[in-house]
Amino acid sequence: MATQTAGTKVKAIDCLHFIDGQYVPSRNGKTFANINPATGEVLGTVAEGGREEVDLAVQAARKALKGPWKKMTAHDRGAVLRRIGDLILERKDELAMLETLDTGKPLWLSNSVDIPRAAYNFHFFADYIRALGTEAFQQDDVAINYSIRRPVGVVGLINPWNLPLLLLTWKLAPCLAAGNTTVMKPAELTPMTATVLAEICRDAGVPDGVVNLVHGFGPDSAGAALTEHPDVNAISFTGETTTGKIIMSAAAKTLKRLSYELGGKNPNIIFADSDLDEVIETTIKSSFINQGEVCLCGSRIYVERTAYDQFVEKFVAKTKQLTVGDPFDPNTKVGALISEEHFDRVNSYIQLAKQEGGQILTGGKRPESLQQGYYLEPTIITGLDNSCRVVREEIFGPVVTITPFDREEEVIELANDTHYGLSASLWTNDLRRAHRVAGQIEAGIIWVNTWFLRDLRTPFGGMKQSGIGREGGMHSFEFYSELSNICIKL
Ligand SMILES: O=C(O)C(=O)/C=C/C=C/O
């Protein structure tokens, strides 16, 4: 099915499951429609998996643990990972178009961030695995202790719809690097790039059964089946905190190992001594990139009072210049929200902001010219304090609040006054203050004078209700492998 949009001939794909090296429909033939967020039209069909498909996939993954995959050395696995990264880059244009069709994000963003980072996730872990060591301890002349790593086993990877291929590969690369096999469950709203990834893994030399993919929904569907399956050893999940709690209770019955990257309501703290133009250029991104549908977005902006008016005036002016529209138009800065349901949810927070006494300085509504598709103007709200729901709850849209502060201690308290703890941005040219304040912000990642600058060796994840565990570099191997300590008496 081809969808003509902005002069780009884009061919959507129907999505089947990928089990034991083959694309297969659901046994009961069930499918659901895949909707294009930019137009509201049907892109194609997706096989709807359930317990039966998940069980077939888990059986294939379990069997593959004992097949040729087990005999591959770390070096061999590294070569396969590198090949997957290479094939992602070879198919970059196709993957970028599919990602934009599925998500409504601008094509330039898929091309510049999502797909290149997906390839890099594989190249990074292909290299990392070659440097991986363990640990050994000499106990005088009594004993020598050394640790060995082995795969956890069959791992369920449950992925969100905001950065579909980036986040799926962020899990899949280390999962495979550590020698595991997997059943992937992409978000039902964004099935296409995950479907192509399965074929890329096969083409790169991943043996049948190592990588499996089952499409479907969460509750009473593939997601629930995966989290409850007794033969799945671990689950890595990125998504909403509420869903995380449901998965945790399901996984508890079989004591699965869990790695969670959940929601955030991230503070963006701006001191008056920072370079406002530089701050605003980055804050436009940290507020509205990917339609604000990024768990790391700095949706709570706190500005030192002496710079508040100047910041607000400049930031609003810059925001008004952002083009909202067709994701395939190269001038578009803000595309379509992922679905009608999410559009309504984000909109409800804008209405709530008015009820809570906030002022909408710009945005807050669908652009007049875009009556089809789920478009919302980037929105800036002032006049709300930390007691307001709009300041406390994750909105996951192009909506930010701005609040002034007077003292360092005050803004640290404001920033930490949340049950989330994923990321934060901090802007100041005072070196001592940067270290002092960053060390007091309760978040997994604190960016100083930047945002979303990523070194994949670093621990990535949130605290409090923003997640459990860290992934990245060695931290991924801590999750995706089991350590055994072997003690040899001398
Ligand atoms: O950059 C990453 O590794 C990552 O996990 C980004 C997550 C964004 C979530 O919305």
Side-chain angles (χ1 to χ4, degrees):
M1 168 181 281
T3 304
Q4 184 65 33
T5 162
T8 315
K9 199 133 184 73
V10 186
K11 188 162 171 39
I13 59 171
D14 290 335
C15 299
L16 295 175
H17 310 302
F18 187 81
I19 299 175
D20 210 7
Q22 301 301 322
Y23 283 109
V24 293
S26 289
R27 284 283 175 86
N28 59 14
K30 272 179 87 175
T31 64
F32 59 92
N34 187 23
I35 303 296
N36 179 347
T39 63
E41 293 163 346
V42 175
L43 284 168
T45 62
V46 187
E48 182 179 347
R51 289 192 187 290
E52 195 168 358
E53 284 72 33
V54 166
D55 192 46
L56 287 170
V58 172
Q59 286 176 40
R62 184 55 58 183
K63 187 182 74 181
L65 274 175
K66 299 182 178 62
W69 186 239
K70 182 180 169 65
K71 298 181 185 63
M72 286 177 103
T73 63
H75 188 276
D76 298 341
R77 289 201 303 275
V80 169
L81 262 64
R82 175 153 296 284
R83 183 78 186 119
I84 294 173
D86 295 346
L87 290 176
I88 287 174
L89 291 179
E90 280 180 27
R91 299 178 67 168
K92 176 171 167 267
D93 292 344
E94 171 197 359
L95 288 165
M97 285 185 184
L98 293 177
E99 200 74 302
T100 284
L101 264 184
D102 255 350
T103 60
K105 75 175 71 195
L107 183 62
W108 60 263
L109 185 58
S110 297
N111 267 314
S112 60
V113 175
D114 293 70
I115 309 310
R117 190 39 222 283
Y120 182 53
N121 286 339
F122 278 101
H123 289 147
F124 172 80
F125 283 105
D127 293 340
Y128 201 94
I129 194 173
R130 295 193 167 137
L132 195 60
T134 59
E135 54 195 47
F137 299 92
Q138 179 185 350
Q139 213 171 345
D140 304 312
D141 58 359
V142 174
I144 187 87
N145 289 273
Y146 65 93
S147 301
I148 60 169
R149 285 189 182 285
R150 68 185 87 212
V152 169
V154 175
V155 183
L157 305 180
I158 302 178
N159 299 285
W161 47 256
N162 62 324
L163 307 168
L165 197 64
L166 187 156
L167 288 172
L168 174 53
T169 55
W170 175 237
K171 299 178 189 302
L172 183 59
C175 177
L176 296 180
N180 299 291
T181 60
T182 181
V183 179
M184 307 184 293
K185 210 299 276 175
E188 61 272 20
L189 292 170
T190 52
M192 295 198 283
T193 50
T195 304
V196 175
L197 180 63
E199 179 181 68
I200 285 174
C201 290
R202 182 178 62 188
D203 294 349
V206 176
D208 291 351
V210 172
V211 170
N212 302 281
L213 167 74
V214 178
H215 293 290
F217 299 89
D220 306 322
S221 182
L226 194 53
T227 57
E228 292 160 7
H229 199 292
D231 217 3
V232 170
N233 302 95
I235 298 277
S236 178
F237 167 69
T238 298
E240 282 187 61
T241 298
T242 44
T243 310
K245 293 174 182 173
I246 296 167
I247 291 176
M248 181 176 264
S249 61
K253 298 182 185 68
T254 51
L255 205 64
K256 289 179 181 31
R257 180 184 284 218
L258 294 175
S259 173
Y260 273 2
E261 204 246 281
L262 304 176
K265 188 72 175 183
N266 311 302
N268 178 6
I269 301 166
I270 300 162
F271 284 96
D273 75 320
S274 55
D275 171 343
L276 275 198
D277 290 335
E278 180 190 11
V279 170
I280 286 169
E281 187 187 348
T282 302
T283 297
I284 286 285
K285 289 188 191 115
S286 64
S287 301
F288 305 122
I289 201 166
N290 204 52
Q291 302 67 245
E293 295 166 327
V294 182
C295 52
L296 302 163
C297 274
S299 50
R300 287 187 291 145
I301 302 174
Y302 295 102
V303 184
E304 192 168 12
R305 199 176 298 277
T306 49
Y308 182 80
D309 292 342
Q310 192 188 5
F311 172 84
V312 169
E313 184 191 343
K314 285 188 166 186
F315 183 53
V316 168
K318 277 279 184 194
T319 301
K320 286 182 184 296
Q321 292 168 6
L322 297 176
T323 309
V324 182
D326 182 345
F328 287 93
D329 181 335
N331 299 314
T332 292
K333 288 290 181 282
V334 179
L337 291 177
I338 189 71
S339 69
E340 185 171 18
E341 181 192 1
H342 188 59
F343 173 87
D344 292 342
R345 182 174 180 276
V346 175
N347 232 336
S348 72
Y349 276 102
I350 292 171
Q351 304 324 311
L352 176 64
K354 294 172 190 166
Q355 291 158 22
E356 291 188 315
Q359 288 81 48
I360 312 275
L361 300 190
T362 184
K365 58 189 185 319
R366 169 194 287 274
E368 280 306 313
S369 61
L370 297 167
Q371 290 311 311
Q372 257 214 327
Y374 316 124
Y375 295 99
L376 192 64
E377 294 169 338
T379 304
I380 299 173
I381 302 166
T382 55
L384 298 178
D385 65 28
N386 266 32
S387 65
C388 300
R389 284 183 54 203
V390 166
V391 181
R392 304 198 67 77
E393 297 174 17
E394 183 177 46
I395 298 173
F396 219 66
V399 181
V400 296
T401 58
I402 312 179
T403 310
F405 70 89
D406 296 297
R407 291 170 297 103
E408 181 177 305
E409 299 71 21
E410 175 198 1
V411 74
I412 291 169
E413 205 174 308
L414 288 169
N416 290 335
D417 173 23
T418 169
H419 61 261
Y420 289 110
L422 183 57
S423 73
S425 283
L426 162 62
W427 295 89
T428 179
N429 286 314
D430 177 333
L431 183 63
R432 292 179 64 188
R433 175 157 67 190
H435 290 288
R436 187 174 59 240
V437 174
Q440 297 175 75
I441 302 297
E442 296 161 0
I445 306 120
I446 295 103
W447 280 293
V448 178
N449 297 334
T450 186
W451 179 74
F452 204 54
L453 178 58
R454 293 280 289 114
D455 178 331
L456 303 194
R457 295 170 295 181
T458 58
F460 184 94
M463 59 178 74
K464 301 198 265 186
Q465 304 268 316
S466 287
I468 297 174
R470 298 292 183 272
E471 295 193 31
M474 196 59 236
H475 307 279
S476 296
F477 285 96
E478 288 309 312
F479 176 71
Y480 288 110
S481 62
E482 289 283 8
L483 268 179
S484 296
N485 180 64
I486 296 168
C487 174
I488 307 285
K489 190 167 183 328
L490 301 176

